[in-house]
């Protein structure tokens, strides 16, 4: 079968002929892959800055944002059947008995760093015609989400971030609204970055009831203002509005959801985080040496304004279930905005274009099956 293989030692990647996997265990599920999203992590891997093949393999099959259709199930699988759509989780636990996170099924909090990740680190990914995965790592997707479910994995970043946010903000008892009242009502959120992670995070914040501002540069030819307006967020262009001016426009910033990976921007915005505010960091900058920050002001604010900074890496199975539920909500409320996140679709043989070229737009995906 066809798969996208990255050969780090030879510094090349190409479509390879990989043996088609088969069901080995009673809980295995075989999927025909339909779509695989491409993100910054994939681009880093094909620049050989990141990622490792499985032990004994010269290449790593790329891809971690995916949607597949079940074609065969092991004898003990009851939750899925052929014809079902499913999205696999990505991270698998480390083997250390002392890792409370992994032993508790929460490898997104792994202490040892010995976890593996499909399509990234030590395990083949999903840019292949077929994959086999344990049923417990798969999340059933309703058929009506066929066209957008490839966005579930990038949305899990926001899902875990928001779960963490509300757990942390339980320290503010008055933010616990009634059951029918959105938790973010009356609060203001700033999203840094208008890429797929930022826009999906902004949708989640709007769904939670926040007055949501997206602060971003605009890639040429994009209409981020129109897009944000399409789901009830406000767009603030970073080309013409400084961070200080943006903060002036927003007022008390209750939450910042960072989705740029740009540390200098993040710590500049952190200076304007509001009283009792939370700053959620999701981006992973490359290490380029120390940079100056206004440390006295940051520390002073963090103490005097009861601020918290939350770093978050995705994601648990629960975050995937939350993302599937929420993408359904987004799609129902804002079908056009959700659909317009996917700007390019490429067949697997043209994978070089979105990975190594510059396809532009917001989200490129590979259509496989
Ligand atoms: Zn990704
Ligand atoms: Zn672990």
């Amino acid at each position: 079968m066809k798969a996208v293989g990255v050969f780090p030692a030879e510094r090349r990647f190409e479509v390879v002929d990989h043996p088609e996997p088969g069901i080995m265990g009673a809980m295995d599920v075989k999927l025909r892959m339909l779509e695989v999203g491409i993100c910054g992590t994939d681009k880093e891997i094909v620049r050989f800055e990141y990622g490792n093949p499985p032990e004994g393999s010269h290449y790593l099959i790329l891809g971690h944002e995916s949607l597949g259709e079940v074609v065969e199930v092991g004898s003990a699988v009851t939750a899925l059947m052929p014809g079902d759509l499913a999205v696999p989780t990505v991270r698998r636990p480390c083997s250390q008995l002392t890792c409370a996170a992994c032993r508790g099924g929460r490898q997104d909090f792994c202490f040892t760093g010995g976890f593996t990740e499909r399509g990234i680190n030590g395990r083949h990914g999903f840019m292949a015609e077929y994959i086999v995965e344990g049923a417990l790592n798969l999340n059933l997707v309703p058929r009506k989400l066929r066209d957008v479910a490839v966005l579930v994995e990038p949305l899990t970043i926001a899902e875990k971030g928001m779960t963490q946010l509300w757990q942390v903000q339980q320290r503010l008892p008055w933010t616990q609204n009634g059951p029918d009242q959105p938790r973010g009502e009356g609060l203001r959120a700033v999203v840094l970055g208008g890429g797929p992670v930022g826009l999906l995070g902004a949708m989640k914040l709007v769904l939670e009831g926040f007055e949501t501002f997206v602060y971003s540069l605009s890639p040429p030819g994009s209409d981020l203002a129109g897009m944000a307006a399409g789901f009830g967020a406000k767009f603030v262009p970073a080309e013409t509005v400084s961070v200080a001016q943006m903060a002036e426009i927003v007022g008390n910033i209750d939450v910042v959801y960072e989705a740029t990976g740009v540390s200098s921007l993040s710590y500049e915005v952190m200076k304007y985080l509001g009283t009792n505010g939370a700053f959620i960091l999701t981006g992973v900058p490359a290490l380029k040496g120390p940079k100056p920050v206004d440390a006295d002001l940051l520390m002073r604010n963090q103490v005097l304004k009861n601020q918290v900074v939350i770093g978050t890496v995705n994601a648990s199975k629960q975050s995937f279930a939350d993302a599937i539920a929420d993408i359904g909500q987004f799609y129902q409320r804002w079908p056009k905005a959700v659909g317009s996140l996917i700007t390019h679709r490429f067949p697997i043989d043209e994978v070089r274009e979105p990975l190594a070229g510059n396809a532009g737009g917001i989200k490129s995906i590979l259509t496989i099956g």
Side-chain angles (χ1 to χ4, degrees), residues 49 68 87-88 99 126 139 158 173 186 192 276 278 307 317 361:
E49 294 167 8
V87 171
C99 183
F126 306 133
N139 303 273
L192 302 182
N276 304 326
Q307 295 170 341
K317 205 177 174 198

Side-chain angles (χ1 to χ4, degrees), residues 78-337:
T78 53
L80 290 164
M81 56 182 169
D84 283 346
L85 298 181
V87 171
T89 59
V90 176
R91 194 181 273 204
R92 303 290 169 262
C94 76
S95 59
Q96 295 298 312
L97 292 175
T98 52
C99 183
C102 288
R103 301 292 70 77
R106 288 304 302 265
Q107 50 269 26
D108 54 318
F109 285 107
C110 178
F111 280 99
T112 68
F115 59 82
T116 54
E117 289 172 318
R118 290 203 68 164
I120 301 172
N121 195 5
R123 278 180 196 263
H124 285 315
F126 306 133
M127 285 183 193
E129 289 179 274
Y130 294 93
I131 67 155
V132 167
E133 182 55 88
L136 297 178
N137 297 323
L138 291 167
N139 303 273
L140 179 68
V141 171
R143 181 54 65 174
K144 62 176 191 276
L145 300 180
R146 163 68 180 82
D147 292 341
V148 292
V150 70
L151 299 171
V152 163
E153 197 279 340
L155 177 58
T156 62
I157 301 168
E159 296 294 344
K160 182 179 167 191
M162 292 302 286
T163 301
Q164 299 285 298
L165 170 74
W166 292 124
Q167 287 173 344
V168 169
Q169 293 301 61
Q170 280 183 28
R171 70 202 177 118
L172 311 174
W174 61 90
T175 64
Q176 307 307 303
N177 296 339
D180 298 326
Q181 205 181 353
R183 292 178 291 188
E185 206 169 272
L187 300 177
R188 291 170 213 156
V190 172
V191 173
L192 302 182
V197 173
L199 291 171
L200 286 164
M203 288 181 184
K204 173 65 177 166
L205 287 157
V206 171
L207 195 70
E208 293 268 346
F210 284 90
E211 186 179 355
T212 304
F213 299 79
V214 177
Y215 184 65
S216 178
L217 300 169
S218 297
S222 67
D223 177 23
L224 285 176
M227 194 144 175
F231 60 89
K234 297 177 181 75
F235 179 68
V236 184
E239 286 91 350
T240 52
V241 181
S242 71
V243 170
Q245 289 166 332
M246 177 273 289
E248 189 73 27
I249 292 167
V250 176
N252 192 69
I253 301 176
D254 297 289
V255 173
V256 177
Y257 181 76
E258 178 280 322
T260 61
V262 179
S263 61
S264 50
L265 172 71
S266 301
Y267 283 88
E268 179 63 19
V269 175
M270 204 177 284
K271 287 168 27 183
Y272 300 92
L273 182 62
T275 301
N276 304 326
F279 200 107
I280 304 170
L281 290 166
T282 78
V284 184
L287 299 176
K288 298 183 285 281
K291 284 184 186 149
V293 296
D294 197 342
D296 287 343
L297 179 62
L298 289 175
M299 183 166 166
R300 191 181 157 88
N301 280 353
Q302 282 168 0
V303 172
L304 295 177
K305 297 184 179 182
N306 299 296
Q307 295 170 341
V308 288
V309 178
I310 305 168
T312 178
V313 65
N314 62 332
S316 70
K317 205 177 174 198
Q318 183 59 50
S319 295
F320 277 77
D322 293 343
I324 291 164
D326 280 345
I327 204 109
Q329 294 259 345
F330 298 173
Y331 204 32
Q332 203 177 355
R333 289 190 189 203
W334 316 301
K336 207 170 143 244

